Amino acid sequence: QKEVEQDPGPLSVPEGAIVSLNCTYSNSAFQYFMWYRQYSRKGPELLMYTYSSGNKEDGRFTAQVDKSSKYISLFIRDSQPSDSATYLCAMRRTVGGKLIFGQGTELSVKP
Amino acid sequence: DTEVTQTPKHLVMGMTNKKSLKCEQHMGHRAMYWYKQKAKKPPELMFVYSYEKLSINESVPSRFSPECPNSSLLNLHLHALQPEDSALYLCASSRADEQFFGPGTRLTVL
């Protein structure tokens, strides 16, 4: 069993839809949670960072962490074609510790 | 400024060549990383430098040799690579919590 599970998709939605991306994990020691967006043939771009449980909002993006369920989510409101990319969740146990990635979910937003 | 820069953007090399990848950041981050990423896979950690000292080597073959000349620079020296080493090579740096990636070098080994 992988430490972090993420549905690879692909996920296709119409423009304007609300997108929900999710990861589950098995190690309760994870405390730091990140979401990256990666466009084709580019490096991952840090979208959201959350420490421990709770919600964080930045514009159209909301990250949620539920440590009791070992489940993290990224919501994208009013999705745009420019949001089409692969979204990677990542987490680590300690500050400076090794980052463990999910497999990435490929998202396509159709105009 | 959250920028990590990498050169070159693309590199094609033969199996007998020696080449180097370069990475630079001016954010004052004291941890720097090399990752390898194959198509449709997440990045795989190769090396970590912390305060200019190699702290993690993920059992990477010796044909990959990292170097950290100072706190802003990270190099990856390549020698006698195999075609299966063709991939996107990513550099990253971090302060205590957030980790930022560069745009990557797309390497093709013929």
Side-chain angles (χ1 to χ4, degrees):
Chain A
Q1 185 191 3
K2 291 193 176 83
E3 278 192 280
V4 180
E5 299 277 359
Q6 182 178 8
D7 187 339
L11 178 63
S12 182
V13 301
E15 183 174 354
I18 296 174
V19 176
S20 172
L21 303 168
N22 311 294
C23 289
T24 58
Y25 61 95
S26 56
N27 191 336
S28 58
F30 286 132
Q31 297 189 78
Y32 303 89
F33 303 92
M34 279 152 268
W35 283 96
Y36 288 89
R37 177 175 63 195
Q38 187 171 23
Y39 292 114
S40 181
R41 306 176 79 83
K42 303 288 187 188
E45 172 194 0
L46 181 62
L47 269 182
M48 301 288 281
Y49 161 76
T50 311
Y51 168 67
S52 195
S53 282
N55 293 359
K56 188 171 184 178
E57 190 172 319
D58 184 2
R60 297 185 295 112
F61 298 90
T62 299
Q64 288 185 352
V65 174
D66 182 348
K67 290 191 73 180
S68 62
S69 303
K70 299 194 187 71
Y71 188 86
I72 69 170
S73 301
L74 178 71
F75 297 96
I76 307 174
R77 288 182 298 283
D78 187 25
S79 56
Q80 303 294 309
S82 58
D83 295 327
S84 299
T86 296
Y87 289 80
L88 293 149
C89 66
M91 50 198 78
R92 53 163 52 126
R93 288 183 287 273
T94 58
V95 166
K98 182 176 174 179
L99 209 51
I100 308 299
F101 285 91
Q103 284 297 106
T105 299
E106 189 179 344
L107 171 68
S108 177
V109 181
K110 304 291 187 188
Chain B
D1 181 15
T2 55
E3 190 177 28
V4 177
T5 60
Q6 289 187 244
T7 55
K9 286 188 170 54
H10 302 276
L11 179 61
V12 179
M13 60 187 290
M15 289 190 282
T16 57
N17 291 158
K18 283 186 183 180
K19 296 285 184 184
S20 296
L21 310 184
K22 297 186 184 304
C23 173
E24 192 165 1
Q25 58 89 13
H26 293 288
M27 296 177 277
H29 293 172
R30 303 315 297 264
M32 296 185 75
Y33 310 76
W34 280 114
Y35 287 84
K36 173 183 176 180
Q37 187 178 27
K38 296 284 236 181
K40 296 194 181 296
K41 297 289 186 185
E44 293 174 47
L45 184 64
M46 300 174 72
F47 303 103
V48 181
Y49 273 83
S50 179
Y51 290 87
E52 298 159 53
K53 290 191 180 350
L54 184 64
S55 59
I56 296 178
N57 177 339
E58 290 284 307
S59 302
V60 178
S62 59
R63 58 186 184 267
F64 295 92
S65 174
E67 178 196 17
C68 189
N70 60 53
S71 60
S72 300
L73 292 174
L74 188 65
N75 298 322
L76 186 63
H77 302 297
L78 313 172
H79 174 55
L81 294 194
Q82 304 296 310
E84 60 264 28
D85 296 322
S86 298
L88 182 68
Y89 287 84
L90 294 161
C91 175
S93 71
S94 68
R95 50 175 176 248
D97 41 18
E98 297 167 283
Q99 187 167 306
F100 300 95
F101 284 85
T105 292
R106 186 156 298 280
L107 174 66
T108 303
V109 182
L110 301 176

